Amino acid sequence: MQLDDLILVSIDDHVVEPPDVFDHHLPDRWREIAPRVERAEAGADVWVFNGAKVPNLAINAVSGLFPEEYGLEPTAYEQIRPGTYDIHERIRDMDANGVLGSLNFPSFPGFSGRLFATLDDKEAALALVQAYNDWHIDEWCGTYPGRMIPCIITPIWDPEAMAAEVRRTAAKGAHAVTFCENPTKLGYPSLHTDHWDPFWAACAEEGTNVCLHIGSSSQLAITSPDAPVDVMIVLQGMNLVQAAADLAYSKLFAKFPELMISLTEGGIGWVPYFNERIDDTWRVHHAWTGADFGGRMPSEIMREHVVLCFIKDPHGLRTAREIGVERICWETDYPHSDSPWPNAPERLWEELAGADLTNDEVDLITHGNAMRHYSYDPFRHIDRADATVGALRAKAAAAGVDTALRSSGRPIPEREGPLTIMDVQKVATA
Amino acid sequence: MQLDDLILVSIDDHVVEPPDVFDHHLPDRWREIAPRVERAEAGADVWVFNGAKVPNLAINAVSGLFPEEYGLEPTAYEQIRPGTYDIHERIRDMDANGVLGSLNFPSFPGFSGRLFATLDDKEAALALVQAYNDWHIDEWCGTYPGRMIPCIITPIWDPEAMAAEVRRTAAKGAHAVTFCENPTKLGYPSLHTDHWDPFWAACAEEGTNVCLHIGSSSQLAITSPDAPVDVMIVLQGMNLVQAAADLAYSKLFAKFPELMISLTEGGIGWVPYFNERIDDTWRVHHAWTGADFGGRMPSEIMREHVVLCFIKDPHGLRTAREIGVERICWETDYPHSDSPWPNAPERLWEELAGADLTNDEVDLITHGNAMRHYSYDPFRHIDRADATVGALRAKAAAAGVDTALRSSGRPIPEREGPLTIMDVQKVATA
């Protein structure tokens, strides 16, 4: 196998919603309450919703910008790459990166769609969730069949309504949903209650994979506000270790044997350690904690039910068999700052060279697992020969996709010494 | 090499302070303010200090009890193994576990000695810290030369006084100090300020290793109060990943090139992933964050300055060379619930069998690194032939050390279903 022969599906990228999200799918009676984009000032577009301005129009959408500018949170469409919000441009950017398929998470509604929960009128809020999903499935994913994997949001304030939306969208072909890695941080009951059972049941029955993205509880691990921002970045994946521990000792998989969950952007290299830790905790402590896995080990159960993914993770690839090759997916995180776009294939190839995997295993990790876990079949629409890194990049080259780095146009402010978490939070909320 | 030939030094165990800690080392003028043990009620001894009762007399001191009873926080000396608070019994328990040397952390003063900071009279507080250290060095560690590695506490409210105490105790042979993995959680400035510089400087100059034990900021990662307590246990080691990220991107090692820090009870199996993550974060983000390691990679610097340890960690041993064999130490965590006492050698042997390490590497991990990093030389006092697992256990057998599990005598309350974090916190504070 050569680099150009890889077929790449990324299960974690992001859409910056264009201004017309609610133009074609929202019933007229809710027109007035639809979020809309306003130009607040030069270089600042904001979503206006429910009487408030939502600042994160283009959260961390920095692919294609000079790395020196990553710290300047983009605040307007003109500052970001059109591939972030325009599906035609997105496909061109995917081609240039050799990526066949992509699962996209939302930006301004929050990873779990929590924004819509702020509306008192829950009927209206549900209409917005549905319109968002219809836009996502029909327009964002539907324009180029076989290229995008739909991932829906849900009305998180009502588990029965969540279940109904999972079923409604599954009927339209969507088999991934973005939820929250720790609902208690958003003020909802934990994974250890029965509260969410209708939702889990619907996902299990419909084969809809529940994606828990880092930061989806709207919190990241922060050691102290004056720590270098790098500390927060280093720890991003580790946010999901807590969710993994919750899942491992939850009743979810005993109650819903068909349920599948993804830990998105959590990386994989920590999993061999974690597997041993959850099993040893059972061995040493179950006599007093009462933990009971029906004669099995928690790591076995996790291996069957929890999908993992990585952007760059050489140690994880070297230990892929220990982790479970059949549950490892790949991601590019476009257009966020950790994304290796447009050089993701080269980076992956280098890491695969350091791992001792068969071609079949590589195929699973690069696309086979994503196809199975998210009920995604690009080959109904696209010939395999046209789906490879080489073929897609040839298409991008022919179409003249320009991947040269550029400036967002915003001046970089003077600063003294390394940026702290506090500095970046000031920029983000400015 | 056979199991009986191992020489084992544990760099993380715990002392439950006996009632006479302050009897012989506190100047008479402070006699009135010394913490003292009182019997609050049947089966409940408490330390009384500064007008308050300190409940954690014997925090998690469960070695030797039936595992079913681990959840019942011991509250009195009569409930715990005498080896936890009596040095003669401790040595017998170490012999039975084949352990030559042991570094002990405090119990009731808190890992960082923060209890004494609550006293308004800081002169008196300093006298207590010094008396505690003198008891620890002269009595707890001094009674059996070559068996215990001293580890001091400091007056954390005053970095200059901390430095002075580091120097005073280094002169007495103590080259380890227990500090706090994130001082901001205790209300002090972070590792990223200059606040602690006198302390770091003294440690660097005196060759005193700064130990950051899990929970030393008095916080553990908790996902939600209703999560099974197992979730909290699983995540214990991961608490130190945050400290590791802080250290990696701090200025500490640039400012104090001789400074050595230990991440205590953090495990090691997550480190290969973490090394790659801190380096990749630098590569991808330094252009905007300003992170600067003078042309080196953060993982290289961490490898030189950060000592790690494990209780049980097969993946970590399999990847020991990636982690850095020269910085991995071993621990038994006696008398806490994760401790494999009295079978620690068997457990370690089994894990070593799964790792491909040379005898020299095994020697480093089992005792060589601990000797070097904590300036500990047991062989000035004890012949190597008398220091092995086999020799120590033969001595314990001859002395009739009884390692049979026993009950603390407290009845186990009825309960429904697995214990939650909340349940255990109720027991701990009852």
Side-chain angles (χ1 to χ4, degrees), chain A residues 67-72 182 184-185 190-193 221-224 226-231 233-238 241-243 245-246 249-251 266-270 272-274 276-278 280-292 312-316 318-319 322 337-339 347 415 417-419 424, chain B residues 67-72 182 184-185 190-193 221-224 226-231 233-238 241-243 245-246 249-251 266-270 272-274 276-278 280-292 312-316 318-319 322 337-339 347 415 417-419 424:
Chain A
E68 288 75 7
E69 300 184 17
Y70 281 8
L72 294 170
N182 185 346
T184 67
K185 307 278 184 189
S190 80
L191 301 177
H192 305 288
T193 66
I222 287 174
T223 56
S224 63
D226 64 341
V229 66
D230 317 75
V231 173
I233 297 169
V234 163
L235 294 172
Q236 277 172 351
M238 305 318 279
V241 180
Q242 294 197 17
D246 257 339
Y249 278 85
S250 77
K251 296 279 174 211
I268 59 175
W270 50 270
Y273 163 83
F274 183 81
E276 294 176 347
R277 178 75 186 161
I278 56 179
D280 190 64
T281 295
W282 183 83
R283 278 188 215 99
V284 174
H285 297 280
H286 74 276
W288 69 275
T289 68
D292 181 1
K312 296 163 277 186
D313 204 323
H315 183 72
R318 286 197 298 277
T319 54
E322 237 174 286
S337 55
D338 259 351
S339 179
R347 180 65 198 251
R415 56 186 164 86
L419 280 179
V424 172
Chain B
E68 289 75 6
E69 299 184 19
Y70 282 8
L72 294 169
N182 185 346
T184 67
K185 307 278 184 188
S190 81
L191 301 178
H192 304 288
T193 65
I222 286 174
T223 56
S224 63
D226 64 340
V229 66
D230 318 75
V231 174
I233 298 169
V234 163
L235 293 172
Q236 276 172 353
M238 305 319 279
V241 180
Q242 294 197 16
D246 257 339
Y249 279 85
S250 77
K251 296 277 173 215
I268 58 175
W270 50 271
Y273 162 84
F274 183 81
E276 295 176 347
R277 178 76 187 161
I278 56 179
D280 191 63
T281 296
W282 183 82
R283 279 189 214 97
V284 174
H285 297 281
H286 74 277
W288 69 274
T289 67
D292 180 1
K312 297 163 277 185
D313 204 323
H315 183 71
R318 286 196 299 277
T319 55
E322 239 174 284
S337 55
D338 258 352
S339 179
R347 181 63 198 252
R415 58 186 162 89
L419 281 179
V424 172

Side-chain angles (χ1 to χ4, degrees), chain B residues 294-362:
Chain B
R296 307 186 68 207
M297 294 305 278
S299 68
E300 283 177 69
I301 297 168
M302 289 289 278
R303 186 162 174 162
E304 289 171 5
H305 289 275
V306 177
V307 176
L308 304 161
C309 62
F310 70 98
I311 307 172
K312 297 163 277 185
D313 204 323
H315 183 71
L317 282 175
R318 286 196 299 277
T319 55
R321 290 190 194 127
E322 239 174 284
I323 295 167
V325 172
E326 73 291 348
R327 64 172 174 145
I328 299 173
C329 295
W330 177 77
E331 60 161 299
T332 80
D333 199 27
Y334 176 99
H336 287 182
S337 55
D338 258 352
S339 179
W341 184 92
N343 304 310
E346 283 73 17
R347 181 63 198 252
L348 176 63
W349 189 250
E350 187 185 318
E351 297 193 2
L352 288 172
D356 181 30
L357 296 169
T358 66
N359 283 356
D360 284 348
E361 288 171 324
V362 170

Side-chain angles (χ1 to χ4, degrees), chain A residues 327-341:
Chain A
R327 63 170 175 148
I328 298 174
C329 295
W330 178 77
E331 59 162 300
T332 80
D333 200 27
Y334 176 99
H336 287 181
S337 55
D338 259 351
S339 179
W341 184 92

Side-chain angles (χ1 to χ4, degrees), chain A residues 109-389:
Chain A
F111 285 120
S112 58
R114 70 182 154 65
L115 178 69
F116 302 121
T118 61
L119 207 59
D120 287 334
D121 181 344
K122 292 304 190 236
E123 197 188 348
L126 177 60
L128 291 174
V129 167
Q130 293 182 327
Y132 185 96
N133 287 337
D134 288 338
W135 166 80
H136 179 82
I137 298 167
D138 300 344
E139 295 191 45
W140 187 252
C141 298
T143 305
Y144 290 83
R147 296 303 296 270
M148 307 299 280
I149 305 171
C151 178
I152 66 155
I153 58 173
T154 60
I156 56 170
W157 55 88
D158 180 351
E160 292 288 356
M162 294 171 77
E165 185 63 3
V166 166
R167 295 184 204 283
R168 185 184 79 83
T169 52
K172 292 173 63 118
H175 292 282
V177 54
T178 168
F179 186 51
C180 161
E181 94 279 17
N182 185 346
T184 67
K185 307 278 184 189
L186 295 178
Y188 293 102
S190 80
L191 301 177
H192 305 288
T193 66
D194 296 336
H195 176 80
W196 306 99
D197 282 1
F199 170 60
W200 306 127
C203 292
E205 284 165 29
E206 299 293 343
T208 294
N209 191 299
V210 182
C211 303
L212 310 181
H213 192 286
I214 60 163
S216 52
S217 65
S218 304
Q219 297 195 4
L220 287 173
I222 287 174
T223 56
S224 63
D226 64 341
V229 66
D230 317 75
V231 173
M232 190 180 76
I233 297 169
V234 163
L235 294 172
Q236 277 172 351
M238 305 318 279
N239 281 278
L240 280 179
V241 180
Q242 294 197 17
D246 257 339
L247 290 174
Y249 278 85
S250 77
K251 296 279 174 211
L252 284 188
F253 306 123
K255 283 164 81 174
F256 306 103
E258 305 300 320
L259 184 63
M260 294 294 293
I261 290 187
S262 297
L263 296 176
T264 310
E265 205 175 335
I268 59 175
W270 50 270
V271 175
Y273 163 83
F274 183 81
N275 279 346
E276 294 176 347
R277 178 75 186 161
I278 56 179
D279 288 353
D280 190 64
T281 295
W282 183 83
R283 278 188 215 99
V284 174
H285 297 280
H286 74 276
W288 69 275
T289 68
D292 181 1
F293 297 100
R296 306 185 68 206
M297 293 306 276
S299 68
E300 284 178 67
I301 297 168
M302 290 289 278
R303 186 161 174 162
E304 289 171 4
H305 289 276
V306 177
V307 176
L308 304 161
C309 62
F310 70 98
I311 307 172
K312 296 163 277 186
D313 204 323
H315 183 72
L317 282 175
R318 286 197 298 277
T319 54
R321 290 191 195 126
E322 237 174 286
I323 296 167
V325 171
E326 72 293 346
R327 63 170 175 148
I328 298 174
C329 295
W330 178 77
E331 59 162 300
T332 80
D333 200 27
Y334 176 99
H336 287 181
S337 55
D338 259 351
S339 179
W341 184 92
N343 304 310
E346 283 73 18
R347 180 65 198 251
L348 176 63
W349 189 249
E350 187 186 317
E351 296 192 2
L352 288 172
D356 180 32
L357 296 169
T358 66
N359 284 354
D360 284 348
E361 288 172 325
V362 170
D363 283 344
L364 285 178
I365 290 171
T366 54
H367 62 280
N369 292 333
M371 290 173 58
R372 187 172 76 261
H373 290 304
Y374 303 96
S375 304
Y376 163 65
D377 186 1
F379 305 123
R380 283 197 300 142
H381 306 281
I382 297 159
D383 200 81
R384 269 183 191 267
D386 300 327
T388 64
V389 169

